[in-house]
Amino acid sequence: VTAAGAAPAQRFSRPEHVLNLMRGRGLRVSAARRIVVATLFAAEAPVSAEQITAATAGGGAEVDLASVYRNLETLERLGVVRHFHVGHGPGLYALAADGRREYIACERCGAVRALQPEELDAVRAEVRSRFGFEVGFGHFPMVGVCGECRDEAGEAG
Amino acid sequence: VTAAGAAPAQRFSRPEHVLNLMRGRGLRVSAARRIVVATLFAAEAPVSAEQITAATAGGGAEVDLASVYRNLETLERLGVVRHFHVGHGPGLYALAADGRREYIACERCGAVRALQPEELDAVRAEVRSRFGFEVGFGHFPMVGVCGECRDEAGEAG
DNA sequence: TTAAATGCAAAGCTTTTGCAATACT
DNA sequence: AGTATTGCAAAAGCTTTGCATTTAA
Protein backbone atom coordinates (compact mmCIF):
# COMPACT_ATOMS: atom_id res chain seq x y z
CA VAL A 1 0.00 0.00 0.00
CA THR A 2 1.37 3.41 -0.92
CA ALA A 3 0.42 6.41 1.18
CA ALA A 4 -1.28 9.14 -0.80
CA GLY A 5 0.93 12.13 -1.38
CA ALA A 6 4.14 10.26 -0.70
CA ALA A 7 6.62 9.85 -3.50
CA PRO A 8 6.70 6.32 -4.86
CA ALA A 9 9.65 4.19 -3.89
CA GLN A 10 12.15 4.72 -6.63
CA ARG A 11 15.79 4.16 -7.41
CA PHE A 12 18.19 6.96 -8.12
CA SER A 13 21.54 5.48 -8.85
CA ARG A 14 23.06 8.63 -10.28
CA PRO A 15 22.79 12.39 -9.81
CA GLU A 16 21.29 12.83 -13.27
CA HIS A 17 18.33 10.69 -12.32
CA VAL A 18 17.55 13.08 -9.51
CA LEU A 19 18.04 16.14 -11.67
CA ASN A 20 15.79 14.66 -14.32
CA LEU A 21 13.15 13.98 -11.71
CA MET A 22 13.31 17.61 -10.68
CA ARG A 23 13.02 18.79 -14.25
CA GLY A 24 10.03 16.52 -14.66
CA ARG A 25 8.36 18.17 -11.71
CA GLY A 26 8.85 21.61 -13.18
CA LEU A 27 11.70 22.42 -10.85
CA ARG A 28 14.81 24.09 -12.19
CA VAL A 29 18.22 22.55 -12.23
CA SER A 30 20.46 25.21 -10.80
CA ALA A 31 24.16 25.12 -10.09
CA ALA A 32 23.41 24.93 -6.38
CA ARG A 33 21.18 21.94 -6.90
CA ARG A 34 23.75 20.12 -8.96
CA ILE A 35 26.26 20.64 -6.20
CA VAL A 36 23.98 19.56 -3.37
CA VAL A 37 22.90 16.45 -5.21
CA ALA A 38 26.46 15.61 -6.22
CA THR A 39 27.63 16.02 -2.65
CA LEU A 40 24.94 13.71 -1.36
CA PHE A 41 25.92 11.08 -3.89
CA ALA A 42 29.58 11.44 -3.03
CA ALA A 43 28.99 11.19 0.72
CA GLU A 44 29.80 7.89 2.37
CA ALA A 45 27.73 8.67 5.43
CA PRO A 46 24.86 11.00 6.31
CA VAL A 47 25.98 14.62 6.24
CA SER A 48 24.86 17.88 7.79
CA ALA A 49 23.83 20.93 5.79
CA GLU A 50 26.97 22.63 7.04
CA GLN A 51 29.11 19.79 5.72
CA ILE A 52 27.46 20.13 2.33
CA THR A 53 28.39 23.79 2.07
CA ALA A 54 31.89 22.95 3.23
CA ALA A 55 32.19 20.18 0.68
CA THR A 56 31.55 22.68 -2.08
CA ALA A 57 34.58 24.70 -1.07
CA GLY A 58 36.87 22.24 -2.82
CA GLY A 59 34.79 22.13 -5.96
CA GLY A 60 35.10 25.86 -6.46
CA ALA A 61 31.56 27.19 -6.15
CA GLU A 62 30.12 27.77 -2.71
CA VAL A 63 26.47 27.16 -1.98
CA ASP A 64 24.85 29.30 0.68
CA LEU A 65 23.69 27.46 3.79
CA ALA A 66 20.14 28.73 3.38
CA SER A 67 20.02 27.39 -0.15
CA VAL A 68 21.35 24.07 1.02
CA TYR A 69 18.57 23.81 3.57
CA ARG A 70 15.96 24.83 1.01
CA ASN A 71 17.24 22.30 -1.45
CA LEU A 72 17.40 19.54 1.11
CA GLU A 73 13.80 20.27 1.98
CA THR A 74 12.83 20.15 -1.68
CA LEU A 75 14.68 16.88 -2.18
CA GLU A 76 13.00 15.47 0.88
CA ARG A 77 9.60 16.37 -0.50
CA LEU A 78 10.54 14.51 -3.65
CA GLY A 79 11.43 11.46 -1.61
CA VAL A 80 15.04 11.60 -2.71
CA VAL A 81 16.48 12.55 0.65
CA ARG A 82 15.71 11.82 4.26
CA HIS A 83 17.07 13.41 7.37
CA PHE A 84 17.32 12.43 11.00
CA HIS A 85 18.73 13.68 14.27
CA VAL A 86 21.47 12.24 16.41
CA GLY A 87 21.63 13.53 19.93
CA HIS A 88 22.46 17.19 19.98
CA GLY A 89 24.11 18.33 16.79
CA PRO A 90 22.69 19.22 13.42
CA GLY A 91 20.32 17.15 11.34
CA LEU A 92 21.93 14.57 9.09
CA TYR A 93 20.87 14.09 5.49
CA ALA A 94 21.23 11.07 3.27
CA LEU A 95 19.90 9.76 0.00
CA ALA A 96 16.77 7.70 0.36
CA ALA A 97 17.65 5.88 -2.82
CA ASP A 98 17.48 2.42 -1.36
CA GLY A 99 14.19 2.95 0.36
CA ARG A 100 13.42 3.49 3.99
CA ARG A 101 16.26 3.27 6.44
CA GLU A 102 16.58 3.45 10.17
CA TYR A 103 19.67 4.19 12.19
CA ILE A 104 21.51 3.64 15.41
CA ALA A 105 24.20 6.05 16.52
CA CYS A 106 27.22 5.93 18.78
CA GLU A 107 27.34 8.92 21.08
CA ARG A 108 31.04 8.43 21.63
CA CYS A 109 32.59 8.15 18.19
CA GLY A 110 29.69 9.58 16.23
CA ALA A 111 29.35 6.54 14.00
CA VAL A 112 25.93 6.15 12.42
CA ARG A 113 24.93 2.70 11.35
CA ALA A 114 22.17 2.39 8.79
CA LEU A 115 19.74 -0.47 9.27
CA GLN A 116 17.06 -2.09 7.24
CA PRO A 117 13.73 -1.57 8.99
CA GLU A 118 13.30 -5.33 9.35
CA GLU A 119 16.41 -5.49 11.46
CA LEU A 120 14.57 -3.45 14.05
CA ASP A 121 11.27 -5.28 13.90
CA ALA A 122 12.06 -7.36 16.95
CA VAL A 123 12.82 -4.23 18.95
CA ARG A 124 9.70 -2.57 17.65
CA ALA A 125 7.58 -5.57 18.56
CA GLU A 126 9.07 -5.70 22.03
CA VAL A 127 8.26 -2.04 22.62
CA ARG A 128 4.79 -2.35 21.17
CA SER A 129 3.81 -5.31 23.29
CA ARG A 130 5.22 -3.88 26.49
CA PHE A 131 4.32 -0.24 26.24
CA GLY A 132 1.82 0.07 23.42
CA PHE A 133 4.04 2.48 21.54
CA GLU A 134 4.77 2.09 17.86
CA VAL A 135 8.29 3.41 17.60
CA GLY A 136 10.47 4.23 14.65
CA PHE A 137 14.15 4.92 14.38
CA GLY A 138 14.21 6.70 11.07
CA HIS A 139 13.98 10.22 12.40
CA PHE A 140 15.20 9.82 15.97
CA PRO A 141 17.57 6.87 16.09
CA MET A 142 18.60 5.14 19.27
CA VAL A 143 21.75 6.52 20.78
CA GLY A 144 24.27 4.44 22.67
CA VAL A 145 27.82 3.23 22.74
CA CYS A 146 29.00 1.03 19.93
CA GLY A 147 30.97 -2.17 20.47
CA GLU A 148 34.27 -0.68 19.46
CA CYS A 149 33.98 2.25 21.80
CA ARG A 150 33.04 -0.06 24.64
CA ASP A 151 36.08 -2.17 23.97
CA GLU A 152 38.31 0.87 23.92
CA ALA A 153 36.89 2.06 27.22
CA GLY A 154 37.86 -1.24 28.81
CA GLU A 155 35.71 -3.37 31.04
CA ALA A 156 36.88 -2.22 34.46
CA GLY A 157 35.38 0.99 35.84
CA VAL B 1 28.83 -0.33 42.67
CA THR B 2 28.74 3.45 42.77
CA ALA B 3 30.58 5.40 40.11
CA ALA B 4 33.16 7.77 41.52
CA GLY B 5 32.13 11.40 41.33
CA ALA B 6 28.45 10.63 40.91
CA ALA B 7 26.07 11.78 43.57
CA PRO B 8 24.88 8.92 45.77
CA ALA B 9 21.37 7.69 45.18
CA GLN B 10 19.25 9.64 47.61
CA ARG B 11 15.68 10.54 48.31
CA PHE B 12 14.36 14.07 48.29
CA SER B 13 10.74 14.00 49.23
CA ARG B 14 10.43 17.70 49.84
CA PRO B 15 11.90 20.96 48.55
CA GLU B 16 13.58 21.64 51.88
CA HIS B 17 15.63 18.50 51.54
CA VAL B 18 17.07 19.80 48.32
CA LEU B 19 17.69 23.26 49.73
CA ASN B 20 19.43 21.75 52.71
CA LEU B 21 21.60 19.68 50.44
CA MET B 22 22.60 22.83 48.62
CA ARG B 23 23.40 24.62 51.83
CA GLY B 24 25.49 21.64 52.90
CA ARG B 25 27.49 21.95 49.71
CA GLY B 26 28.22 25.58 50.36
CA LEU B 27 25.70 26.74 47.79
CA ARG B 28 23.37 29.60 48.60
CA VAL B 29 19.65 29.33 48.83
CA SER B 30 18.34 32.18 46.74
CA ALA B 31 14.80 33.15 45.92
CA ALA B 32 15.33 31.90 42.39
CA ARG B 33 16.47 28.52 43.64
CA ARG B 34 13.51 28.15 45.96
CA ILE B 35 11.21 28.85 43.06
CA VAL B 36 12.90 26.49 40.63
CA VAL B 37 12.96 23.68 43.17
CA ALA B 38 9.37 24.31 44.20
CA THR B 39 8.26 24.28 40.59
CA LEU B 40 10.00 20.98 39.94
CA PHE B 41 8.29 19.46 42.98
CA ALA B 42 4.94 20.82 41.89
CA ALA B 43 5.26 19.54 38.33
CA GLU B 44 3.36 16.43 37.42
CA ALA B 45 5.45 15.76 34.35
CA PRO B 46 8.89 16.76 33.10
CA VAL B 47 9.03 20.46 32.31
CA SER B 48 11.09 22.73 30.11
CA ALA B 49 13.14 25.64 31.40
CA GLU B 50 10.69 27.94 29.69
CA GLN B 51 7.81 26.35 31.55
CA ILE B 52 9.60 26.87 34.82
CA THR B 53 9.94 30.59 34.22
CA ALA B 54 6.31 30.73 33.16
CA ALA B 55 5.23 28.84 36.25
CA THR B 56 6.74 31.56 38.38
CA ALA B 57 4.46 34.16 36.87
CA GLY B 58 1.58 33.01 39.06
CA GLY B 59 3.68 32.96 42.22
CA GLY B 60 4.62 36.61 41.82
CA ALA B 61 8.38 36.59 41.35
CA GLU B 62 9.80 35.88 37.94
CA VAL B 63 13.03 33.97 37.46
CA ASP B 64 15.15 34.80 34.47
CA LEU B 65 15.51 32.05 31.90
CA ALA B 66 19.29 32.11 32.14
CA SER B 67 19.11 31.64 35.88
CA VAL B 68 16.70 28.77 35.44
CA TYR B 69 19.14 27.04 33.13
CA ARG B 70 22.03 27.68 35.47
CA ASN B 71 20.09 26.34 38.42
CA LEU B 72 18.93 23.30 36.54
CA GLU B 73 22.53 22.57 35.67
CA THR B 74 23.54 22.96 39.29
CA LEU B 75 20.75 20.69 40.44
CA GLU B 76 21.74 18.16 37.86
CA ARG B 77 25.30 18.17 39.13
CA LEU B 78 23.93 17.48 42.57
CA GLY B 79 22.01 14.52 41.23
CA VAL B 80 18.67 16.09 42.12
CA VAL B 81 17.52 16.69 38.58
CA ARG B 82 17.86 14.95 35.25
CA HIS B 83 16.99 16.17 31.81
CA PHE B 84 16.32 14.54 28.49
CA HIS B 85 15.26 15.45 24.98
CA VAL B 86 12.13 14.54 23.10
CA GLY B 87 12.29 14.99 19.38
CA HIS B 88 12.67 18.61 18.49
CA GLY B 89 11.60 20.89 21.26
CA PRO B 90 13.35 22.00 24.41
CA GLY B 91 15.00 19.79 26.99
CA LEU B 92 12.73 18.45 29.70
CA TYR B 93 13.70 18.45 33.34
CA ALA B 94 12.46 16.30 36.18
CA LEU B 95 13.41 15.40 39.72
CA ALA B 96 15.67 12.38 39.92
CA ALA B 97 14.39 11.71 43.40
CA ASP B 98 13.37 8.14 42.72
CA GLY B 99 16.59 7.16 41.06
CA ARG B 100 17.39 6.62 37.43
CA ARG B 101 14.55 6.78 34.97
CA GLU B 102 14.18 6.23 31.28
CA TYR B 103 11.43 7.46 29.01
CA ILE B 104 9.40 6.83 25.92
CA ALA B 105 7.57 9.68 24.23
CA CYS B 106 4.60 10.05 21.93
CA GLU B 107 5.35 12.34 19.05
CA ARG B 108 1.68 12.96 18.47
CA CYS B 109 0.23 13.95 21.86
CA GLY B 110 3.51 14.77 23.54
CA ALA B 111 2.97 12.35 26.39
CA VAL B 112 6.12 11.23 28.12
CA ARG B 113 6.00 7.95 29.96
CA ALA B 114 8.60 7.33 32.64
CA LEU B 115 9.97 3.83 32.86
CA GLN B 116 12.07 1.90 35.31
CA PRO B 117 15.32 0.94 33.61
CA GLU B 118 14.52 -2.74 34.09
CA GLU B 119 11.45 -2.36 31.94
CA LEU B 120 13.76 -1.63 29.04
CA ASP B 121 16.30 -4.33 29.70
CA ALA B 122 14.78 -6.65 27.13
CA VAL B 123 14.98 -3.95 24.48
CA ARG B 124 18.52 -3.13 25.50
CA ALA B 125 19.54 -6.78 25.34
CA GLU B 126 17.96 -7.17 21.94
CA VAL B 127 19.87 -4.20 20.59
CA ARG B 128 23.12 -5.27 22.19
CA SER B 129 23.01 -8.77 20.80
CA ARG B 130 22.02 -7.70 17.33
CA PHE B 131 24.06 -4.57 16.82
CA GLY B 132 26.61 -4.48 19.60
CA PHE B 133 25.37 -1.13 20.81
CA GLU B 134 24.67 -0.48 24.47
CA VAL B 135 21.76 1.93 24.31
CA GLY B 136 20.08 4.02 26.94
CA PHE B 137 16.80 5.90 26.92
CA GLY B 138 17.42 8.26 29.78
CA HIS B 139 18.74 11.13 27.73
CA PHE B 140 17.33 10.39 24.29
CA PRO B 141 14.12 8.41 24.72
CA MET B 142 12.50 6.45 21.95
CA VAL B 143 9.90 8.40 20.05
CA GLY B 144 6.79 6.90 18.56
CA VAL B 145 3.03 6.89 18.63
CA CYS B 146 1.31 5.84 21.82
CA GLY B 147 -1.60 3.41 21.90
CA GLU B 148 -4.23 6.06 22.43
CA CYS B 149 -3.08 8.16 19.52
CA ARG B 150 -3.02 5.12 17.29
CA ASP B 151 -6.57 4.29 18.29
CA GLU B 152 -7.71 7.82 17.59
CA ALA B 153 -6.10 7.76 14.18
CA GLY B 154 -8.08 4.67 13.28
CA GLU B 155 -6.74 1.54 11.66
CA ALA B 156 -7.56 2.27 8.02
CA GLY B 157 -5.17 4.51 6.07
C1' DT C 1 10.48 37.15 -20.61
C1' DT C 2 9.20 35.61 -16.21
C1' DA C 3 8.91 33.08 -12.34
C1' DA C 4 11.85 30.00 -9.71
C1' DA C 5 15.97 29.88 -7.08
C1' DT C 6 19.89 32.15 -5.12
C1' DG C 7 22.70 34.91 -1.82
C1' DC C 8 22.72 37.82 1.87
C1' DA C 9 20.98 39.40 6.02
C1' DA C 10 18.01 39.11 9.65
C1' DA C 11 15.34 36.57 12.79
C1' DG C 12 13.56 32.49 15.54
C1' DC C 13 14.33 29.05 19.04
C1' DT C 14 17.02 26.83 22.61
C1' DT C 15 20.91 27.27 25.37
C1' DT C 16 25.18 29.49 26.96
C1' DT C 17 28.09 33.26 28.48
C1' DG C 18 29.85 38.02 30.08
C1' DC C 19 29.31 41.35 33.37
C1' DA C 20 27.78 44.68 36.56
C1' DA C 21 24.37 44.74 40.27
C1' DT C 22 22.24 42.18 43.97
C1' DA C 23 21.77 39.55 48.03
C1' DC C 24 22.86 35.32 50.72
C1' DT C 25 26.01 34.05 54.59
C1' DA D 1 32.20 42.34 53.93
C1' DG D 2 32.85 39.12 50.53
C1' DT D 3 31.41 36.30 46.99
C1' DA D 4 27.92 33.36 44.97
C1' DT D 5 23.99 34.27 42.27
C1' DT D 6 21.05 37.10 39.68
C1' DG D 7 19.18 39.75 35.74
C1' DC D 8 19.96 41.65 31.52
C1' DA D 9 21.93 41.53 27.21
C1' DA D 10 24.51 39.55 23.86
C1' DA D 11 26.05 35.51 21.44
C1' DA D 12 26.33 30.78 19.82
C1' DG D 13 24.40 26.84 17.14
C1' DC D 14 20.85 25.20 14.04
C1' DT D 15 17.25 26.41 10.98
C1' DT D 16 13.93 29.40 8.73
C1' DT D 17 12.39 33.54 6.37
C1' DG D 18 12.28 38.12 3.72
C1' DC D 19 13.73 40.31 -0.15
C1' DA D 20 16.16 42.08 -3.97
C1' DT D 21 18.94 39.98 -7.57
C1' DT D 22 20.18 36.37 -10.54
C1' DT D 23 19.19 32.81 -13.77
C1' DA D 24 17.09 28.64 -15.76
C1' DA D 25 13.64 27.74 -19.00
Side-chain angles (χ1 to χ4, degrees), chain A residues 28-30 65-66 69-70 90-91:
Chain A
R28 296 179 181 179
V29 174
S30 65
L65 233 202
Y69 274 110
R70 279 187 284 231

Side-chain angles (χ1 to χ4, degrees), chain A residues 64-129:
Chain A
D64 189 79
L65 233 202
S67 297
V68 171
Y69 274 110
R70 279 187 284 231
N71 282 323
L72 288 172
E73 193 195 335
T74 298
L75 290 166
E76 200 150 11
R77 268 202 305 271
L78 293 179
V80 173
V81 160
R82 303 188 89 244
H83 85 275
F84 57 90
H85 303 270
V86 173
H88 311 110
L92 298 179
Y93 296 77
L95 290 173
D98 304 336
R100 170 171 260 92
R101 279 287 165 82
E102 298 191 279
Y103 305 88
I104 185 170
C106 177
E107 64 194 358
R108 209 161 288 180
C109 67
V112 174
R113 178 164 162 193
L115 305 171
Q116 303 295 345
E118 311 85 66
E119 298 184 78
L120 285 162
D121 281 348
V123 170
R124 233 186 304 279
E126 180 77 33
V127 172
R128 189 191 311 114
S129 73

Side-chain angles (χ1 to χ4, degrees), chain B residues 47-129:
Chain B
V47 290
S48 67
E50 183 74 40
Q51 287 176 308
I52 291 178
T53 65
T56 66
E62 179 101 9
V63 181
D64 190 78
L65 233 199
S67 297
V68 170
Y69 274 110
R70 279 187 285 230
N71 282 323
L72 288 171
E73 193 196 336
T74 298
L75 290 166
E76 200 151 9
R77 268 202 306 271
L78 293 179
V80 173
V81 161
R82 304 189 88 244
H83 85 275
F84 56 92
H85 303 270
V86 173
H88 311 110
L92 298 178
Y93 296 77
L95 289 173
D98 304 337
R100 170 169 260 92
R101 280 287 165 80
E102 298 192 279
Y103 304 89
I104 184 169
C106 177
E107 64 195 358
R108 209 159 288 178
C109 66
V112 173
R113 178 164 162 191
L115 304 171
Q116 302 295 346
E118 311 85 67
E119 298 184 78
L120 285 162
D121 282 348
V123 171
R124 233 186 304 278
E126 180 78 33
V127 173
R128 190 190 312 118
S129 73

